Amino acid sequence: MLVVPVLTAGVALRLNFTGDPGDGTRTRGRDAIWLGHAWVDGRKKDADLAAFAARIKGTGIKDLYVHAGPLEHDGTLPDSSYPRAHWVVDAVHRTMPSSDAAISRAYPCRRAARSMPRMIWSE
């Protein structure tokens, strides 16, 4: 019996987020998006970035946050987790000059997120 209310709520939430955005939906021109680990581990290439740039053109997305974690148990982030971080930052600046890319760690808790700075590469 407990399943029915939970299922009903899930369906209602899903239906609420379908269709076109409403008239009151707008951008401030400085929106952001999180990108997955594939952008820094070598799976994404120039063609992927070109397709992504075309997809977000005109959306107001200017800031890109790229997942580079997770952290090890001792709180470190091994270099092997983000071998192509410099490539993605350089490629974003070349392909989408009005965008900024930040390589961000995945934090296990808010306390760690406050105490450890986001890694940002810029030339």
Side-chain angles (χ1 to χ4, degrees):
M1 286 309 233
L2 186 59
V3 173
V4 174
V6 172
L7 184 60
T8 302
V11 169
L13 285 172
R14 178 67 185 119
L15 291 175
N16 192 35
F17 292 102
T18 59
D20 295 324
D23 292 335
T25 306
R26 59 186 168 270
T27 178
R28 294 177 297 141
R30 291 296 301 171
D31 298 329
I33 190 169
W34 279 94
L35 300 175
H37 189 80
W39 290 95
V40 293
D41 71 4
R43 290 179 279 168
K44 297 288 187 177
K45 306 290 183 213
D46 287 324
D48 298 306
L49 184 60
F52 176 73
R55 182 176 172 206
I56 68 166
K57 186 175 183 174
T59 63
I61 294 174
K62 301 289 183 198
D63 296 313
L64 311 176
Y65 295 93
V66 186
H67 177 279
L71 299 174
E72 296 292 331
H73 294 290
D74 64 359
T76 61
L77 181 64
D79 291 343
S80 61
S81 294
Y82 52 94
R84 290 184 41 100
H86 284 284
W87 167 82
V88 80
V89 171
D90 293 342
V92 163
H93 289 164
R94 184 179 64 249
T95 307
M96 299 178 281
S98 63
S99 296
D100 294 318
I103 311 302
S104 299
R105 304 175 200 196
Y107 296 107
C109 65
R110 286 188 182 189
R111 173 187 262 174
R114 285 193 303 269
S115 65
M116 298 187 333
R118 186 175 70 233
M119 298 181 302
I120 301 175
W121 282 275
S122 60
E123 301 299 323

